[in-house]
Amino acid sequence: MIEVIDLCKSFGQLEVLRHVNMRVAEGEVVCIIGPSGSGKSTLLRCLNLLEQPTGGEVIIDGVSLMDKKTNINEVRQKVGMVFQLFNLFPHKTALENITMGPIKVKRMSKQAAEELGRTLLAKVGLSDKADVYPHQLSGGQQQRVAIARALAMQPKVMLFDEPTSALDPEMVGEVLAVMKDLAREGMTMVVVTHEMGFAREVGDRVIFLDEGRIVEEGKPHEIFSQPREERTRAFLSKIL
Amino acid sequence: METVIRTFPVLLVGAGITLGITLISVANGCVLGLIAGLARLSKRRFLSFLATCYVDFFRGTPLLVQILIVYFGIPYLLDALQKYLMAHYGIPRLFSSTDIPRFWAAVLACSLNSGAYIAEIFRAGVQSIERGQMEAARSLGMTHSQAMRYVILPQAFRRIIPPLGNEFIAMLKDTSLLSVIGFEELLRRGQLIVGETFAVFEIYITVAFLYLIMTLSFSRLVDYTERRLKTRDRSY
């Protein structure tokens, strides 16, 4: 579903990603962990070209993102993204946030989009919040609306960029629960996270990134209980 | 006092003309400003360069000078050009007179000036929207212009209402400069009445008072909308 080959990204002199190779199969849940500044978010953002890679190749569902002829807007419809700071549209209600993509991008009728929107709101447990504006919602609720907004485009892949980092602790659970449901339904997911519990429980694979390189990857229980690399051990000992 | 009462209707019409020319200029300025503001943000270097030249020129030179250039300078230039084309290429004159009517000169000068200020207001408004908004919109598959139109601009418009109101008030006062080309707005009408009646103090204080009524009522309106927008969108 996702193939990353020799991906490099520099901001000026600063090399953020150094020759990253990664594959994500359909239905797989891959968690990317690592210290801050390791390039986790940048890697994720290269997968829908919110960051333009400096070198290498990214292939999503058979389509090369680095090919000049590729229409990135079409690829992005297949790749949903959830942001750390939710980035809901503050001038739109929860339902309008969800229906905007289908209506404007997919040219879906308003009625069909609203039906889809209400189904998705129900799925994230917010049926009663359809007509509420983002600022009237708690952080956890906002993030759940943001997940529903991304799902409204019926993507094949979902990218999560530290989706619970900006939340109060008591709201983390509700967002992770929604993500677990998604994973169970077979959604292909790439999750940048500090939630090791989630990575262990839901992840099919964990990738440890440090200084722009993949240091180690494997099944969650392998990485968490018997990390092979010293750096992985050092990182995990600090956070577990 | 008698003079004031007698001439008050004349001044009142002048106030109406001042208000009218301000409304027209700021309306034109909004269109020009939106175009120039977005052009300044454009990735196309040439476009943003052109817009920067426009904005810098009209913000960096006095409106009084701009009015004089439009009213006296442009007709002179056009006339010289016609003479040159006639003399060297035998192209007949297109206009028998290149004079610009006062009203149009006034509209042109004030609109161009207002457009430059409003371009900066628009630019600041668009730039004040968090980057995440554009990213969220693009991640849904929207094009850059769709994201601008449905996500960025609607939010930016709300934020620019207060500075736009201030621009309107500034322009309302600055239209008094149009008196130098004899455009009969409020101040010019006052000057003409003073010329006849010599009631210098009474007339000018009345003129000032009329400006004050207009600016104060408008700034109240801006305050009110600002407060209403704030209570509605506490989150921004």
Side-chain angles (χ1 to χ4, degrees):
Chain A
M1 180 61 65
I2 303 177
E3 197 167 356
V4 175
I5 305 159
D6 204 29
L7 183 71
C8 295
K9 170 70 185 174
S10 315
F11 294 104
Q13 292 291 322
L14 185 72
E15 279 184 87
V16 182
L17 295 176
R18 307 168 198 221
H19 309 283
V20 172
N21 290 285
M22 168 178 124
R23 292 178 83 112
V24 181
E26 193 166 346
E28 203 179 10
V29 177
V30 172
C31 294
I32 303 177
I33 61 170
S36 53
S38 59
K40 308 183 294 286
S41 287
T42 308
L43 173 57
L44 195 73
R45 292 160 57 86
C46 281
L47 301 182
N48 67 352
L49 244 51
L50 282 184
E51 290 310 341
Q52 183 73 38
T54 352
E57 179 62 277
V58 180
I59 297 165
I60 306 276
D61 201 20
V63 180
S64 157
L65 300 195
M66 302 297 279
D67 187 339
K68 289 267 182 292
K69 280 176 288 195
T70 300
N71 181 349
I72 185 59
N73 297 317
E74 278 170 21
V75 180
R76 281 176 178 152
Q77 292 178 37
K78 290 188 279 183
V79 183
M81 185 156 197
V82 175
F83 300 87
Q84 185 177 0
L85 296 173
F86 332 132
N87 297 347
L88 287 178
F89 307 134
H91 60 304
K92 297 285 180 189
T93 62
L95 185 62
E96 288 166 342
N97 262 278
I98 299 169
T99 58
M100 186 188 269
I103 292 173
K104 302 299 181 196
V105 179
K106 286 193 162 175
R107 307 265 162 230
M108 195 185 273
S109 74
K110 192 170 178 234
Q111 204 190 347
E114 285 189 353
E115 213 169 290
L116 171 68
R118 287 185 197 280
T119 314
L120 288 170
L121 274 176
K123 186 186 169 90
V124 298
L126 294 170
S127 293
D128 52 333
K129 303 290 185 190
D131 300 319
V132 159
Y133 283 89
H135 69 85
Q136 295 164 297
L137 296 169
S138 72
Q141 291 171 333
Q142 288 192 48
Q143 192 61 298
R144 285 188 278 157
V145 172
I147 293 173
R149 176 177 69 178
L151 290 174
M153 295 303 288
Q154 287 153 331
K156 295 190 161 179
V157 181
M158 285 285 282
L159 309 177
F160 292 85
D161 189 2
E162 301 195 26
T164 56
S165 298
L167 296 177
D168 290 339
E170 74 265 31
M171 292 170 185
V172 170
E174 61 191 62
V175 171
L176 291 181
V178 169
M179 291 169 63
K180 272 178 214 167
D181 283 346
L182 260 184
R184 226 170 280 140
E185 287 165 22
M187 176 62 81
T188 310
M189 293 162 62
V190 181
V191 187
V192 169
T193 188
H194 293 298
E195 295 294 331
M196 297 305 148
F198 177 85
R200 194 193 292 257
E201 188 186 337
V202 185
D204 295 310
R205 197 144 49 87
V206 171
I207 292 179
F208 174 62
L209 205 67
D210 190 25
E211 293 180 357
R213 286 198 185 86
I214 292 181
V215 175
E216 186 167 357
E217 64 175 291
K219 300 259 175 238
H221 64 89
E222 295 166 4
I223 299 274
F224 289 118
S225 29
Q226 308 133 336
R228 290 185 304 269
E229 300 288 328
E230 184 48 45
R231 260 187 297 172
T232 317
R233 250 188 300 255
F235 173 71
L236 289 173
S237 71
K238 265 180 234 153
I239 55 160
L240 287 181
Chain B
M1 197 59 206
E2 226 178 285
T3 331
V4 171
I5 293 168
R6 188 165 50 80
T7 58
F8 195 68
V10 179
L11 291 178
L12 214 53
V13 172
I17 293 172
T18 289
L19 197 61
I21 197 86
T22 309
L23 280 170
I24 294 170
S25 300
V26 173
N28 289 335
C30 281
V31 177
L32 279 173
L34 180 60
I35 296 169
L38 291 179
R40 279 203 77 173
L41 292 167
S42 168
K43 280 204 185 93
R44 293 191 194 137
R45 288 275 169 76
F46 183 67
L47 216 57
S48 105
F49 174 74
L50 272 187
T52 307
C53 288
Y54 163 65
V55 169
D56 284 352
F57 180 81
F58 282 95
R59 277 165 47 105
T61 57
L63 177 57
L64 181 54
V65 176
Q66 292 160 17
I67 292 167
L68 293 175
I69 290 176
V70 169
Y71 188 63
F72 296 113
I74 292 179
Y76 179 82
L77 186 74
L78 284 177
D79 195 50
L81 190 70
Q82 286 201 29
K83 277 186 187 142
Y84 177 83
L85 290 175
M86 181 71 190
H88 291 264
Y89 302 99
I91 298 170
R93 288 172 153 266
L94 199 55
F95 310 103
S96 54
S97 161
T98 54
D99 286 350
I100 302 175
R102 283 195 183 92
F103 172 76
W104 291 110
V107 167
L108 187 61
C110 291
S111 300
L112 285 170
N113 182 274
S114 193
Y117 281 95
I118 293 173
E120 284 298 90
I121 293 174
F122 269 117
R123 186 176 66 93
V126 167
Q127 283 180 330
S128 76
I129 307 299
E130 300 69 27
R131 234 182 75 195
Q133 291 290 311
M134 177 57 97
E135 290 182 347
R138 296 304 303 271
S139 78
L140 293 172
M142 285 192 206
T143 61
H144 182 84
S145 34
Q146 281 178 323
M148 268 290 172
R149 186 162 150 213
Y150 302 121
V151 177
I152 307 295
L153 287 179
Q155 295 182 59
F157 281 138
R158 295 185 189 196
R159 288 193 193 174
I160 66 176
I161 286 172
L164 215 50
N166 292 336
E167 163 58 19
F168 184 89
I169 291 168
M171 187 42 74
L172 189 91
K173 292 183 288 179
D174 287 349
T175 53
S176 61
L177 294 167
L178 293 168
S179 60
V180 294
I181 59 167
F183 180 74
E184 288 193 25
E185 39 66 71
L186 179 51
L187 176 61
R188 179 65 184 161
R189 285 188 170 224
Q191 286 174 329
L192 292 174
I193 293 166
V194 169
E196 277 171 32
T197 62
F198 303 105
V200 180
F201 181 75
E202 296 94 315
I203 295 299
Y204 283 143
I205 204 78
T206 310
V207 165
F209 191 64
L210 284 171
Y211 276 115
L212 195 62
I213 289 174
M214 289 191 282
T215 51
L216 279 187
S217 34
F218 199 77
S219 70
R220 283 289 141 78
L221 192 68
V222 172
D223 283 351
Y224 172 75
T225 23
E226 197 175 353
R227 236 175 311 138
R228 246 194 42 184
L229 285 176
K230 262 205 190 116
T231 47
R232 239 181 42 203
D233 313 311
R234 262 161 309 184
S235 67
Y236 305 57

